Structure formats: structure tokens, C-alpha cells
Amino acid sequence: MGAVRSITVLLLVLFMAMSSGVRSCPPSDRAALLAFKAALHEPYLGIFNSWTGADCCHKWYGVSCDQETRRVADINLRGESEEPIFERAHRTGYMTGYISPAICKLARLSSITIADWKGISGEIPRCITTLPFLRIVDLIGNRLSGSIPAGIGRLHRLTVLNVADNLISGTIPTSLANLSSLMHLDLRNNLFSGPIPRNFGSLSMLSRALLSGNRLSGAIPSSVSQIYRLADLDLSRNQISGPIPESLGKMAVLSTLNLDMNKLSGPIPVSLFSSGISDLNLSRNALEGNIPDAFGVRSYFTALDLSYNNLKGAIPKSISSASYIGHLDLSHNHLCGKIPLGSPFDHLEASSFVYNDCLCGKPLKPCY
């Protein structure tokens, strides 16, 4: 009886040892994470204090593993969070250092989020383009410089690329258009220059393209209008020139179009006023000609800003037939004539109309 019990205990110990071995992350993944950690300095919160012990899948802050393989699948380190470690410290995160290429040894990595740490510098490791399972790259809110790796287009599973609020320069790589799964692209507030790639329209799954606050130049590629799912296009605060493509007003789900603070010229396309666009900002460009007399029941604008352009002529009478216009700004143009009565003009202030050539009527001075 005692022998049987001893064998049972031995088998149980062996089973537990084997289970524990299976459930630990591979030593190579643990070593890669520790090399990644060694390149960073986080002085206030102690988020890396939990990165101890043999199993990097067990309670290492911000690290998640695949349940089957126990390979590291996700790194999720956010400098702005409501998690207890931030609540206790009564502060947001701050981290310096750089993103070590050791991260690329995590061959099964699915997402990299190293966001809002404010002080992480250096370049995006070129080798991330060799990680075939990457779905999310979110590096917003740091001090990263250099350029986006030229081979970024190899990441066919990538759905989110967010490098906003950094110091990244260079051109947008043409290979970016090969990201056939990309849904969210955020390059805002960097130092990107040069043109938007002509084949940008190949991003067939894209729903948000946020490229504002850079030094992009050249024309808006007409291929953009081929992106059926695109709902939000923000190209504001760049140096983009040429005309606004008429085809933008014929896009099925585009609801926000921000093109303000560029060097766009030519007339405003008629199509923009009978489209599904509800937030349209074309201010601070060099647009000319008349405001198209093309408003109707399909015209529904939470905000319509055409200020600081070279628009002339009268405010079109059809604007009164728009379903809704919340905020309207026509100031700083060369408009003339009487401001129409009724909606939406009855709730607008003088600031919506000032600095034109000869507009008159409520809320400006009376017409004589």
C-alpha cells in the first residue's frame, strides 16, 4: 500500500513539474523581454518591478501570452492609464530610453503598445517588419525619431499603425499601401514630408486616416476615393496643394473631412455638399470661386468651416434647404450680398460672417 502511495506521489510531482514547464514562457522570450526592459528607464511607477521569476507569462505587468504555446503575444505598456499602479502614484507615466531591437526576437508577437511615455526616443526598430503576426503597433506620445521602416508593407496582418505625437520624419513609405488589413492609420503631429503615396487607395480596409500636423506636400491622390470603408480623413495642417478631388464627395461612408491649413486651390467640388460628410473643414486654404449652390436634404453638417479662403459671390440660397447645419463659418472671404433668413442663420453669430467684402443683414449690419 505504501509503495503504491509513493508511486502516486512521485507521478503527481512529475506531472506538476511537467505542467509547470509547459506553462512557462520559453527562456528565449524571457531573455528578449529582459533585454527590452534594459533599454528603458521608468523612474516613478515601478512597472517593471513585476518582471521577475522564470515565467514571463505570469503576472509580468503589460505582458500577455498565447494560452496554447505560452509564447509572448502582447506587450501593452501605456503611460496614461486608470490602472491601480497609476492611481496610487497620482501621476501619468514617464519613461526614457529606446525600444530595443530585442523585441523582434519575440517571434509570435501580435501587438506592441508602448504609448504615452513622453520620453522614449530613438528609432522604431527596423526588424519589426520581420514579425509576421503583428496586428497592432501603437507608439503614440513618445519622442521617437527616424523614419517608418521601409519594409512596413510586409506586415499583412497589421490592422492598427499609430505613431502619432512623435518626431518621426522622412516620407510615408510606398510599401505602406501593401497593408491590406490596415483599418486605423494615425501619423498625426510628426515631421513627415513629401507626397502621400499615389497608391494610398490600395488600403482597402482603412476606416480612419489621420495625417494632420506634418509637412506633407503634393496633391491629394485621387485613389483615396477608392477606399470604400474610409469614414474619417484628416489631412489638415500640412502643405498639400492642388485641387480637392471631386470624387471625395462620392465616397460611401466618409463622414469627416478635414483639409484645413493647407495650400489647396481651385473651386470647392459641388459633390461635397450633397454627400454623407457631416464634418467638413476647408478653412485656411486658397480655394476660390463661388460656394456651390448645391445644398439639399442630403446636406447635414454638424460643422461646416470655409473661412480664410478666396471665395466670392453670394451665400447660396439653397443653404436654407440643408437638413441641418450646426456650426457654420464663412468669415475671412470675399463674399457679398444679403445673408439669407431662417435656419441655420437665425442661430449664428456675427463671427461666422465677418471680414468679407460686402455681406449684410442679420447678424451683421442691415442691408441698404
Side-chain angles (χ1 to χ4, degrees):
M1 193 72 176
V4 171
R5 185 175 293 159
S6 298
I7 291 168
T8 305
V9 169
L10 184 62
L11 286 171
L12 190 60
V13 169
L14 279 170
F15 175 75
M16 287 174 69
M18 286 170 67
S19 300
S20 145
V22 168
R23 293 193 62 75
S24 288
C25 71
S28 58
D29 278 15
R30 181 179 180 276
L33 284 173
L34 291 176
F36 164 75
K37 169 191 166 185
L40 296 167
H41 177 59
E42 190 283 295
Y44 301 114
L45 301 171
I47 64 161
F48 292 125
N49 291 352
S50 63
W51 286 31
T52 58
D55 186 6
C56 61
C57 296
H58 182 64
K59 294 187 177 177
W60 281 37
Y61 183 87
V63 177
S64 304
C65 297
D66 183 278
Q67 292 298 312
E68 300 288 319
T69 63
R70 306 306 291 169
R71 298 296 305 271
V72 173
D74 305 295
I75 295 175
N76 185 12
L77 300 173
R78 292 190 179 277
E80 295 181 3
S81 170
E82 294 179 2
E83 291 193 20
I85 194 169
F86 291 86
E87 296 287 324
R88 286 194 298 269
H90 302 292
R91 62 167 300 136
T92 59
Y94 180 77
M95 201 186 300
T96 55
Y98 64 95
I99 300 172
S100 169
I103 204 170
C104 303
K105 292 177 181 174
L106 301 168
R108 302 291 298 191
L109 207 55
S110 171
S111 70
I112 303 171
T113 299
I114 306 166
D116 296 314
W117 291 102
K118 308 171 191 67
I120 296 176
S121 57
E123 299 194 8
I124 300 169
R126 296 279 170 264
C127 58
I128 69 160
T129 62
T130 65
L131 294 171
F133 298 98
L134 266 187
R135 292 181 301 104
I136 296 170
V137 174
D138 185 352
L139 305 175
I140 187 175
N142 290 293
R143 292 187 60 78
L144 298 172
S145 57
S147 56
I148 290 182
I152 193 81
R154 294 193 200 108
L155 300 175
H156 294 299
R157 287 182 172 90
L158 200 67
T159 59
V160 174
L161 177 58
N162 185 354
V163 296
D165 301 329
N166 279 286
L167 301 169
I168 298 169
S169 58
T171 57
I172 299 172
T174 52
S175 79
L176 189 89
N178 297 333
L179 297 173
S180 54
S181 301
L182 196 67
M183 299 167 71
H184 179 100
L185 176 65
D186 194 346
L187 309 180
R188 288 174 298 171
N189 302 327
N190 278 285
L191 303 170
F192 289 106
S193 58
I196 299 168
R198 289 180 63 185
N199 58 350
F200 196 79
S202 300
L203 296 167
S204 58
M205 299 297 288
L206 200 63
S207 63
R208 300 190 82 198
L210 310 177
L211 280 65
S212 63
N214 283 287
R215 299 171 180 176
L216 298 171
S217 57
I220 300 171
S222 57
S223 69
V224 169
S225 59
Q226 297 165 15
I227 309 174
Y228 181 82
R229 292 174 172 81
L230 192 63
D232 187 350
L233 178 62
D234 188 352
L235 305 179
S236 62
R237 295 181 294 119
N238 278 291
Q239 296 165 24
I240 296 167
S241 58
I244 299 171
E246 175 89 24
S247 53
L248 291 183
K250 297 171 183 173
M251 295 178 68
V253 293
L254 188 66
S255 60
T256 299
L257 179 61
N258 290 331
L259 302 178
D260 48 299
M261 296 182 73
N262 278 290
K263 298 178 178 179
L264 296 165
S265 58
I268 298 174
V270 174
S271 60
L272 297 183
F273 295 112
S274 57
S275 66
I277 298 169
S278 58
D279 187 346
L280 179 62
N281 192 341
L282 307 180
S283 66
R284 297 178 187 271
N285 279 288
L287 299 169
E288 55 206 12
N290 293 2
I291 300 172
D293 194 8
F295 292 85
V297 289
R298 288 201 65 204
S299 309
Y300 185 101
F301 292 101
T302 53
L304 175 59
D305 192 344
L306 307 179
S307 62
Y308 290 92
N309 278 290
N310 297 318
L311 302 172
K312 60 180 177 36
I315 297 172
K317 288 192 166 49
S318 66
I319 201 166
S320 299
S321 64
S323 290
Y324 176 76
I325 298 180
H327 170 78
L328 175 68
D329 193 346
L330 304 177
S331 66
H332 297 269
N333 279 289
H334 300 290
L335 300 173
C336 213
K338 186 176 182 183
I339 297 170
L341 299 171
S343 178
F345 302 98
D346 46 13
H347 72 264
L348 295 172
E349 297 182 6
S351 57
S352 294
F353 306 101
V354 293
Y355 297 104
N356 276 287
D357 287 5
C358 47
L359 280 180
C360 61
K362 250 181 144 181
L364 300 181
K365 64 186 180 186
C367 298
Y368 297 106

